[in-house]
Amino acid sequence: MARRPPIHEQRPGPLGRRGLLLGTAAWCAGAVGCSDGTKTPKDTASPSGSGTRKPTTSAPTPLPSKETGAALPSPVPWRPGPSEVTPAAKTAAVRLVEALGTWRAGQGDASGATARAAALGIPAASAARLAGEAGPLTPSADEAVVRVIDAQYGGILSDSASVLVVCEQRTRTGTALRSGGTTVDVRLGRTSAGWEVTSLHPADPGPPGSLGAAAKAVLAQPRIELPPASAADVRSGKVHESVLRAMLRLAGDYRVSVSVVRSGHPLDVFGTDRPSDHPPGRAFDVWRVDGHPVVDPATSRGLITGFMRAAAGAGSYNVGGPIQLSGGATANQFFSDATHHDHVHIGFRS
């Protein structure tokens, strides 16, 4: 394959890094980081099946830590980059996730989570409700620290938004440290006072399943970086072979930082009633290519366009990103909109 030169998810009508271990050194500043329109979306959220999802109460997918007696790292707030679309929406979503998923000793119960949400200026009743929807963000532990890996749009409209907050979480219980994390589909509405969180929908990848050779290869490939929820998606055995094979093919030429696969993504294309390809395991999103965030204006457009074309060459019928490309195999193979200014969407029919 020639080396690459120096994007609303559409649907036709009818890691190598396994979940990243959270060594203290890895807790650096979070990196900067589905369609435009005027329609208010249905509140359909991320999958564990079909239909409108209920908030999950399952624990995150922790990876055992060999450390004992060590202190947790200090929290490092995520900050939006210079070219974000509506950065205030992402900031409101991230601040709540960081607050709910980070606490000191003695503050890990429901009242502590409610107090942390209320400290952001959220009314007491809403703070209690949102704390109850936090699910895997609030596991049983003495202390916890969340680091946001990426915040990408699941959809951005004039008065509503879905922000997918991809995070790692370190917890301490006694002297034992554990690493885990989740992805939260944060729904927001725009009011006269600004963007306000209306609901939380954490990922629910499901238990590990039987894995084929491609899934095992993805989990073992160091050039594919999978956040905790996405790694759990692959381990569930519910990600289609087309997605897994495309990840492996792209990893031959690129370091691929995945943000979302199945869980933690809206069930429908945001603002529509069209099912998304993500929940059934037929799509994945990439927020960083060769270490360069898609949203960063300093990232070479040639790198991004080359990656998008490589994704189409890997079999994707629906490649979206920050650049509108021409010359696809079909009229709609490539697309671009405000939602996809911060990631590349790679979808498959089967």
Side-chain angles (χ1 to χ4, degrees):
M1 173 186 284
R3 189 61 179 174
R4 50 201 182 273
I7 79 180
H8 117 180
E9 179 186 351
Q10 291 182 297
R11 185 178 173 85
L15 269 270
R17 225 162 275 186
R18 285 98 35 205
L20 303 174
L21 288 177
L22 312 183
T24 301
W27 290 73
C28 54
V32 293
C34 235
S35 71
D36 269 331
T38 58
K39 183 177 174 183
T40 301
K42 299 193 304 178
D43 189 19
T44 52
S46 318
S48 58
S50 59
T52 302
R53 196 196 60 193
K54 298 179 180 179
T56 180
T57 57
S58 61
T61 308
L63 299 175
S65 170
K66 296 180 180 179
E67 300 177 69
T68 58
L72 291 178
S74 298
V76 179
W78 177 91
R79 301 192 185 284
S83 63
E84 293 282 2
V85 171
T86 319
K90 285 192 175 183
T91 300
V94 167
R95 291 296 170 261
L96 181 56
V97 168
E98 289 175 334
L100 290 173
T102 301
W103 64 87
R104 297 176 180 175
Q107 300 177 349
D109 57 7
S111 63
T114 299
R116 294 192 297 279
L120 298 175
I122 298 173
S126 295
R129 176 178 55 80
L130 292 168
E133 294 174 354
L137 274 177
T138 54
S140 177
D142 296 337
E143 293 183 284
V145 176
V146 150
R147 181 181 75 87
V148 172
I149 298 169
D150 181 46
Q152 79 167 48
Y153 279 119
I156 177 68
L157 306 178
S158 60
D159 58 358
S160 59
S162 161
V163 177
L164 311 183
V165 182
V166 183
C167 57
E168 301 171 322
Q169 187 178 47
R170 193 75 172 268
T171 61
R172 181 188 64 81
T173 302
T175 59
L177 301 184
R178 296 182 72 86
S179 300
T182 189
T183 295
V184 185
D185 176 5
V186 182
R187 299 299 177 92
L188 305 98
R190 191 199 290 269
T191 71
S192 59
W195 288 93
E196 296 182 356
V197 176
T198 58
S199 61
L200 302 177
H201 305 277
D204 186 9
S210 177
L211 301 185
K216 293 177 181 177
V218 165
L219 292 168
Q221 170 55 261
R223 291 170 61 84
I224 302 172
E225 297 176 349
L226 297 171
S230 295
D233 285 338
V234 175
R235 289 196 298 269
S236 75
K238 297 178 181 178
V239 178
H240 280 238
E241 288 288 310
S242 55
V243 167
L244 301 170
R245 289 194 299 267
M247 286 184 182
L248 292 167
R249 179 168 171 176
L250 290 167
D253 282 285
Y254 301 88
R255 277 189 295 122
V256 181
S257 299
V258 174
S259 49
V260 178
V261 182
R262 289 184 60 252
S263 59
H265 192 281
L267 293 177
D268 290 339
V269 176
F270 195 76
T272 78
D273 57 3
R274 290 182 286 115
S276 167
D277 284 326
H278 283 274
R282 297 198 308 268
F284 66 104
D285 290 343
V286 173
W287 72 275
R288 191 169 62 178
V289 180
D290 283 347
H292 301 286
V294 172
V295 74
D296 189 343
T299 296
S300 164
R301 296 300 87 179
L303 174 66
I304 301 305
T305 59
F307 181 77
M308 291 173 65
R309 292 194 184 280
S316 174
Y317 82 101
N318 195 215
V319 181
I323 304 162
Q324 179 61 58
L325 302 182
S326 60
T330 65
N332 297 321
Q333 185 170 24
F334 297 112
F335 67 90
S336 180
D337 58 22
T339 293
H340 293 81
H341 79 287
D342 59 8
H343 68 280
V344 175
H345 165 83
I346 304 169
F348 297 83
R349 287 193 174 90
S350 62

